[in-house]
């Protein structure tokens, strides 16, 4: 069984293109090889087959997790995420964890912004606690955010001591854990006093009535942080980068129509999705949209292409929230997949959309102008794509 065609350049070149110019790389691969296409990077051990048509995306998200698990795709964050993390588990353990973690997303518990917000909402952290946690997380993530570190970590996948990239990551994680375990000890002493997600997680009981261990709680909290912080921050940065270049959209947003606000959020997530792929590791050969794909392949619904393909979205390159309003045909839900899909669909999607709506609503009164005329390119920062100049806008 052959893999679909793809670039023949050495894996190191494909890795560099994937990391430094991810948007352009995916566009070129699609233009040259169509759908599906196979890429080879150091990001994963196996070759990766990218699919982006709605039929293929539906097939990928429907695959049985026993045949196409996704937990290993977050392997990269394992030292930080921890072994009990929902991000890394598969099968029954994963579903059990999803059920347990649904608790914090219920009701009115969700308010405020990305790291600050997530720290307050998830941990109920305030003042000194908030500062200490923020610093520890920034230090931890800083070790994996820079492009040289990311490349070095993708190529040399070993901890070669505290000065090496993986070693620096480990030391930062240990420092973060120490702060977190202290916080957990304090919180266990005063349950019932706050309404944070942590308080809800502390109340969890497994099927035998046991409360979660500190390690388990720690991994749940980090999954919420890793899942909830960078993606939201990147998506908001892109929303501002795009809005600044579309004064007519800003003007309409200012009118205060909630449907339009929602459309702006959906369109930002479409035109600049924070993650490029939703990958699954194939353990057995499967058929996706009529193509047989062999085992030991990474199969990815390519979020970036599905959300931006010209044949799926009229004027795909245009930031046009109007396409989400009632007077235009509804987009195919299988081509709008910024939150992935199937049993691994983003656990925080409603929270993330609400967070974006609230920020954009609050900012709607401002006039945004781009600091420079040319649009910002996408660059990688750990797992997410961010504007390469950090979304430079003048606010007036
Ligand atoms: C705009 C912001 C966000 C985007 C674009 C985003 C996107 C994604 C994507 C693409 C996945 C993988 C889906 C798949 O493989 O099919 C994912 C998983 C996940 N996300 Fe998000 N996410 C965002 C915000 C959040 C927030 C705010 C939280 C939590 C507060 C969160 C928690 C998670 C978790 C726990 C998972 C793993 C789910 C699982 O493996 O079962 N995310 N997210």
């Amino acid at each position: 069984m052959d893999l679909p065609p793809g670039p023949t350049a050495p894996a190191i070149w494909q890795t560099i293109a994937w990391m430094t110019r991810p948007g352009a790389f995916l566009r070129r691969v699609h233009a040259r090889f169509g759908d599906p296409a196979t890429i080879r990077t150091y990001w994963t051990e196996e070759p990766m087959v990218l699919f982006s048509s709605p039929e293929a995306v539906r097939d990928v998200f429907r695959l049985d997790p026993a045949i196409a698990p996704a937990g290993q795709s977050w392997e990269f964050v394992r030292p930080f995420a921890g072994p009990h993390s929902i991000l890394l588990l598969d099968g029954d353990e994963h579903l059990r964890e999803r059920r347990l973690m649904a608790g914090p997303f219920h009701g009115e518990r969700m308010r405020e912004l990305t790291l600050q917000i997530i720290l307050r909402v998830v941990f109920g952290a305030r003042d000194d606690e908030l500062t200490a946690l923020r610093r520890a997380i920034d230090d931890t993530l800083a070790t994996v955010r820079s492009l040289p570190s990311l490349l070095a970590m993708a190529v040399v996948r070993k901890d070669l001591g505290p000065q090496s990239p993986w070693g620096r990551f480990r030391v930062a994680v240990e420092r973060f854990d120490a702060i977190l375990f202290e916080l957990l000890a304090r919180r266990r002493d005063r349950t019932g006093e706050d309404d944070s997600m942590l308080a809800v997680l502390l109340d969890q009981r497994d099927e035998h009535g046991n409360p979660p261990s500190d390690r388990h709680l720690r991994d749940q909290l980090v999954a919420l942080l890793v899942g909830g912080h960078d993606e939201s921050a990147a998506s908001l940065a892109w929303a501002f980068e795009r809005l600044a270049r579309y004064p007519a959209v800003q003007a309409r947003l200012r009118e205060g129509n909630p449907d339009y606000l929602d459309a702006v959020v959906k369109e930002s997530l479409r035109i600049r999705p924070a993650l490029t792929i939703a990958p699954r590791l194939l353990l057995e050969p499967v058929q996706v949209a009529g193509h047989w794909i062999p085992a030991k392949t990474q199969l990815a619904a390519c979020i970036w292409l599905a959300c931006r393909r010209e044949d799926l979205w009229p004027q795909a390159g245009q930031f046009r929230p109007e396409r989400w309003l009632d007077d235009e045909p509804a987009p195919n839900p299988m081509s709008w997949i910024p939150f992935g899909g199937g049993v691994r669909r983003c656990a925080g999607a409603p929270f993330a959309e609400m967070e974006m709506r609230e920020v954009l609503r609050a900012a709607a009164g401002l006039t945004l102008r781009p600091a420079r005329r040319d649009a910002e390119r996408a660059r990688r920062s750990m797992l997410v794509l961010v504007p390469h100049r950090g979304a430079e806008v003048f606010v007036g």
Side-chain angles (χ1 to χ4, degrees), residues 61 74 86-87 94 98 105 118 224 227-228 231-232 235 269 274-275 278 280 303 338-341 343-348 351-352:
F61 289 153
W74 296 82
I86 183 172
L87 302 173
H94 167 251
R98 261 188 98 95
F105 290 102
I118 210 83
L224 291 174
E231 282 83 349
S232 297
S235 301
L269 290 167
L275 293 178
R280 315 288 185 248
I303 299 175
F339 294 111
V343 289
R344 308 297 302 211
R345 187 172 193 269
C346 175
F351 177 78

Side-chain angles (χ1 to χ4, degrees), residues 6-158:
T8 49
I12 183 73
W13 288 119
Q14 296 191 48
T15 309
I16 290 172
W18 165 260
M19 299 233 194
T20 54
R21 299 291 301 269
F25 175 63
L26 289 170
R27 211 170 26 246
R28 269 202 317 269
V29 169
H30 182 69
R32 171 105 197 267
F33 301 100
D35 179 14
T38 306
I39 59 169
R40 289 176 173 78
T41 68
Y42 287 131
W43 201 252
T44 52
E45 307 229 331
E46 306 78 13
M48 181 181 288
V49 180
L50 303 172
F51 280 98
S52 53
S53 73
E55 311 79 68
V57 165
R58 178 176 296 113
D59 285 354
V60 172
F61 289 153
R62 277 188 185 157
L63 286 173
D64 179 347
I67 294 174
Q72 36 59 48
S73 334
W74 296 82
E75 207 45 48
F76 203 69
V77 294
R78 179 181 285 275
F80 190 27
H84 305 291
S85 179
I86 183 172
L87 302 173
L88 299 167
L89 295 173
D90 275 303
D92 290 347
E93 272 183 307
H94 167 251
L95 291 179
R96 178 174 166 274
E97 197 57 31
R98 261 188 98 95
R99 272 195 300 276
L100 286 171
M101 280 183 67
F105 290 102
H106 276 302
E108 283 298 301
R109 235 165 257 122
M110 310 171 179
R111 286 279 169 261
E112 280 212 55
L113 287 197
T114 94
L115 185 51
Q116 279 269 15
I117 297 189
I118 210 83
L119 286 176
R120 283 170 195 250
V121 176
V122 171
F123 295 97
R126 300 278 180 275
D127 309 326
D128 291 354
E129 242 175 35
L130 192 69
T131 317
L133 272 172
R134 208 176 56 206
R135 202 166 294 149
I137 290 164
D138 276 343
D139 286 353
T140 312
L141 295 180
T143 58
V144 283
R145 268 203 190 115
S146 85
L147 199 56
S149 307
L150 267 177
L151 274 172
M153 289 166 91
V155 176
V156 182
R157 302 188 199 184
K158 276 203 282 264

Side-chain angles (χ1 to χ4, degrees), residues 140-297:
T140 312
L141 295 180
T143 58
V144 283
R145 268 203 190 115
S146 85
L147 199 56
S149 307
L150 267 177
L151 274 172
M153 289 166 91
V155 176
V156 182
R157 302 188 199 184
K158 276 203 282 264
D159 184 344
L160 301 173
Q163 293 312 315
S164 68
W166 280 106
R168 278 207 302 275
F169 188 28
R170 174 179 44 83
V171 171
V173 171
E174 284 163 5
R175 214 174 302 135
F176 169 83
D177 281 356
I179 295 175
L180 188 62
F181 285 130
E182 259 176 51
L183 181 137
L184 286 180
R186 280 198 300 277
R187 286 296 196 287
R188 281 197 192 275
D189 287 346
R190 54 179 173 94
T191 46
E193 284 174 35
D194 73 62
D195 59 355
S196 66
M197 289 185 175
L198 171 56
V200 183
L201 291 174
L202 278 167
D203 277 344
Q204 298 168 102
R205 295 295 175 264
D206 66 14
E207 53 276 33
H208 311 294
N210 299 319
S213 66
D214 270 6
R215 287 246 47 115
H216 190 167
L217 270 175
R218 178 248 174 244
D219 291 356
Q220 291 185 320
L221 292 165
V222 172
L224 291 174
L225 279 176
V226 172
H229 162 217
D230 272 11
E231 282 83 349
S232 297
S235 301
L236 274 169
W238 280 121
F240 284 111
E241 192 273 347
R242 290 290 81 196
L243 273 173
R245 289 173 171 78
Y246 288 82
V249 176
Q250 289 183 50
R252 198 153 172 201
L253 193 56
R254 220 164 284 137
E255 292 166 9
N257 177 346
D259 291 342
Y260 195 73
L261 174 62
D262 194 45
V264 170
V265 168
K266 292 218 154 35
E267 181 68 349
S268 297
L269 290 167
R270 178 194 74 79
I271 199 160
R272 294 292 187 272
L275 293 178
T276 45
I277 47 169
R280 315 288 185 248
L281 174 64
L282 267 195
L283 303 181
E284 287 176 22
V286 295
Q287 207 175 11
V288 173
H291 301 266
W292 274 102
I293 308 295
K296 297 214 180 76
T297 308

